[in-house]
Amino acid sequence: MSTPILRLEHVTKRFRGLVATNDVSFAVPEGSICSLIGPNGAGKSTIFNLVTGYLAPSEGHIFFGKTRIDGTPTTQLARAGIARCFQIAKPFADLSVRENVRIGALFGRDGARDIAAVTDDALALTGLSDLAGRPAGDMTVGYLRRLELARAIAARPVLLLADEPCAGLNATETEDIVTILRLVRDRGVSVLLVEHDMQAVMRVSDQIFVLDAGALIAAGPPEAIAGDPRVIAAYLGTEAVE
Amino acid sequence: MSIVLLIVAAAVPFMVMPFYVRVGQLILLSAALGLAWTLLGGFAGYWSFGHAAFIGLGAFSAGLFETELMKGQPLLGFGLGLIVGGVVCALAAAVVAWPILRLRGIYFAVAMLGVSQVLAELTNNVDVFKGSMGLVLPRIAAFGLRPEALFYDVLLIATVVVGCIAFAIKNGRIGAGLMAIREDEDTARMLGVPTERYKIMMFILSAALTGALGVIYAHSLGYITTSSVYRTEFSLNMIVYNLLGGMGTLVGPFLGSAVMVILTQVVLGRLLSIHMFITGALLVLLVLAAPKGIIGLFKGGLFGGRAKG
Ligand SMILES: Nc1ncnc2c1ncn2[C@@H]1O[C@H](COP(=O)(O)OP(=O)(O)OP(=O)(O)O)[C@@H](O)[C@H]1O
Ligand SMILES: [Mg+2]
C-alpha cells in the first residue's frame, strides 16, 4: 500500500474539561473519498480544525503524506495542498463569484499556473460559469455551497476537506454536490467529507469513519458500516428503526 | 492625459492666491495620508486609530537628524530626512507589528491609539527629543520658489508616489490577498493567503509612508512640538477621509479629503465658533446617507450601501 494522503495517529484534543477528540486514528488513502460521520458534537469539525492547523492536538500526530503537520500554520498547509470548505459557507460577500474563485487560484497550493484558466475551470466544474459576475452575497445556499467548493478547487488541492457541503440542500442540489465531489476525486484529489446526509455518504464514500463523543467507534467501507451494530446504536439508530 | 493634468496641478500655486495654495497643500497632504492609512485600514480592514504616531515619529526623528547631523545642508538634509523618518517609522512598526497585529477589529484600533499616546508622551517628556520645547526645522528653499509653492509641489509629488504605490498594491496579487483578509481572515488563511506576512508588510509600509509625509508636514510648519504633530485629530481624519470618500478604494481618500478640507477651510472657515459642530453634523449625515462613501453613491445610490447587511 502506498502512503495514505492523511493519517491521524492517536489524536486527542481537549478543550479545558471537554474531550472533543479522543485518541482518534485513521488514514485516508490517496485518491479516495472518505467520510467522517457521527452525531452532532461528535468532534468532526474539530478534526478538520486539527488537520487544517486552526487547532493543535493535545496529544498525537497528524501526517500529510510523509510530513508531520500537527501545529503547522494554516497558510502553510494550504500552500502544501490542503483545502477546506467550511461548515458555514464563508463567501467574500462583497466580491463577485468570479473574484471569490480567483482568490483561490491566486493563492492556494504553490506552483505555476494560469490564474484565469484555473478560475474558469473551477467555475465550470461547479456549474457556476453563468453566475460568475454576480455578487457572492446575493447567492442562495445551494450556490454558496458550490462557490465554497469552487474556491477550494481553484486552490488546486491534493486533499480537500468538505464540512457538510450538502447541509440545507434539497435532493437535486445534494446530487449536484456529490457529482462535483466525484469529479474532483476523478482528477486525483483525495477527499475527506463530513456529511449528515447518509444516502449521499453511503453512495460516494470509499471508506467511512464513525465518531461518537470524540472517539472513533467504527471504520470501513459503506457496506460494513451500514451493518455495524455499534454504528446503528450510536448514529443510525433512529433511522434504522423507522 | 494624466501627465498634462499633473503639470497643470503642479502649476496651480503660481496662479492662485496663497490661501488657496495652502488649501491645496492640505488636500494633498490629507489625501496622501488617507492613502497611506488605507494600505492596511482600507485594504485589509485593520483600522488604526493611532496613525498620528507615525506622523509625529517621522517628524521628530527627521527633525532631530536634520538639526543635529545635517547642519548647513538643508536641502540634502530634507531629502535624507524623508528617508530617516520613513525608516524610523518602519522599524517602529516592525517592532510592534508582531504582537499588535494578532489583535483583530476594535482591539487593534485601540492598541494603535495606545501606541500613539506612548510615543507622544515619550517625545514630550524625554528631553533629547525636544518635544515640549519644540524643534525648529531647517528652512529649505529651492529653485527660487516661495515656500508654500514649494511645499505644494513637494506634496503633489508625494501624493503621486503614494498613490502609485497604493495602486500597484491594490491591483496586484497582494491586493487580492488583503481583500480576502478584510472579508474573512480565517478563510483567507485556508486559501493560502500569507495573512501574517501581508499584514506586517502593509503595516510597515503604511507607517513608513506616513512617517515620510510627517517629515514634509513638519517642514511646511517650520517649527514643531509634540502637540503639533502627534495629533489625535490626524488619526481620526485619516479614517474620516476614507469613510467619506469610500473605504478601501483609491479615489476615496482624494474625494474625502477634498470634501472635508474645502468644507472646513473654505466654506466654514469664517464660522469658526460653530465650525466643528457643523462639520460633525455633516459627517454624520454623509455617513448615514452614503455608507459606502461618496464613491459608493455613484455605484449604489442613496441609502443603498448597507441594505443587505
Ligand atoms: N474551540 C472550541 N472550544 C471549546 N469547545 C469546542 C471548540 N470547538 C468545538 N468544541 C466542542 O467540541 C465538541 C465537538 O464539536 P465539533 O464542532 O467538532 O462537532 P461536530 O461533530 O462537527 O458537530 P456538528 O455535526 O454539529 O457540526 C462540541 O462539544 C463542541 O462544543
Ligand atoms: Mg461540525
Side-chain angles (χ1 to χ4, degrees), chain B residues 220-296:
Chain B
S220 76
L221 292 179
Y223 166 73
I224 55 170
T225 60
T226 310
S227 54
S228 69
V229 287
Y230 283 101
R231 277 160 56 186
T232 309
E233 191 192 330
F234 274 136
S235 298
L236 294 182
N237 279 342
M238 285 188 231
I239 304 172
V240 167
Y241 302 141
N242 280 288
L243 265 180
L244 203 56
M247 188 57 75
T249 65
L250 290 171
V251 267
F254 287 97
L255 285 174
S257 61
V259 168
M260 273 291 281
V261 171
I262 290 172
L263 204 64
T264 52
Q265 302 293 315
V266 184
V267 182
L268 301 173
R270 279 179 218 99
L271 309 168
L272 270 183
S273 53
I274 52 166
H275 123 194
M276 283 310 281
F277 165 77
I278 299 183
T279 311
L282 276 172
L283 262 182
V284 171
L285 253 181
L286 269 168
V287 170
L288 279 178
K292 288 198 170 172
I294 298 168
I295 191 76

Side-chain angles (χ1 to χ4, degrees), chain A residues 54 75 92-93 106 108 138 151, chain B residues 173 183 186-187 191 193 308:
Chain A
Y54 286 92
T75 299
F92 301 134
L106 276 171
D138 290 354
R151 208 167 49 180
Chain B
R173 187 169 113 112
E183 298 273 320
D186 286 326
T187 308
L191 288 172
V193 177
K308 297 192 304 278

Side-chain angles (χ1 to χ4, degrees), chain A residues 44-45 87 163-164 194:
Chain A
K44 305 179 295 292
S45 295
Q87 182 167 1
D163 201 344
E164 303 201 24
V194 164

Side-chain angles (χ1 to χ4, degrees), chain A residues 52 54 74-75 78-79 82-84 86 90 92-95 103-104 106-108 113 138 151-152 155, chain B residues 173-174 176-177 179-180 182-195 197-198 292 306 308:
Chain A
T52 52
Y54 286 92
T74 306
T75 299
R79 299 180 64 171
I82 300 182
R84 171 184 185 178
F86 287 92
K90 294 174 167 182
F92 301 134
D94 282 351
L95 309 185
I103 289 180
L106 276 171
F107 296 92
R113 70 252 179 207
D138 290 354
R151 208 167 49 180
Chain B
R173 187 169 113 112
I174 183 166
M179 195 153 58
R182 183 187 70 203
E183 298 273 320
D184 190 321
E185 192 165 343
D186 286 326
T187 308
R189 280 199 284 161
M190 193 67 253
L191 288 172
V193 177
T195 53
R197 184 153 57 85
Y198 278 7
K292 288 198 170 172
R306 282 275 174 266
K308 297 192 304 278

Side-chain angles (χ1 to χ4, degrees), chain B residues 71-120:
Chain B
K71 286 201 182 81
Q73 291 172 295
L75 206 56
L76 178 66
F78 173 60
L80 293 178
L82 285 175
I83 297 172
V84 169
V87 168
V88 168
C89 286
L91 290 175
V95 170
V96 292
W98 179 249
I100 214 177
L101 283 168
R102 339 223 87 211
L103 303 170
R104 290 190 186 179
I106 193 72
Y107 298 99
F108 170 75
V110 171
M112 273 308 299
L113 191 60
V115 167
S116 176
Q117 300 293 349
V118 168
L119 282 175

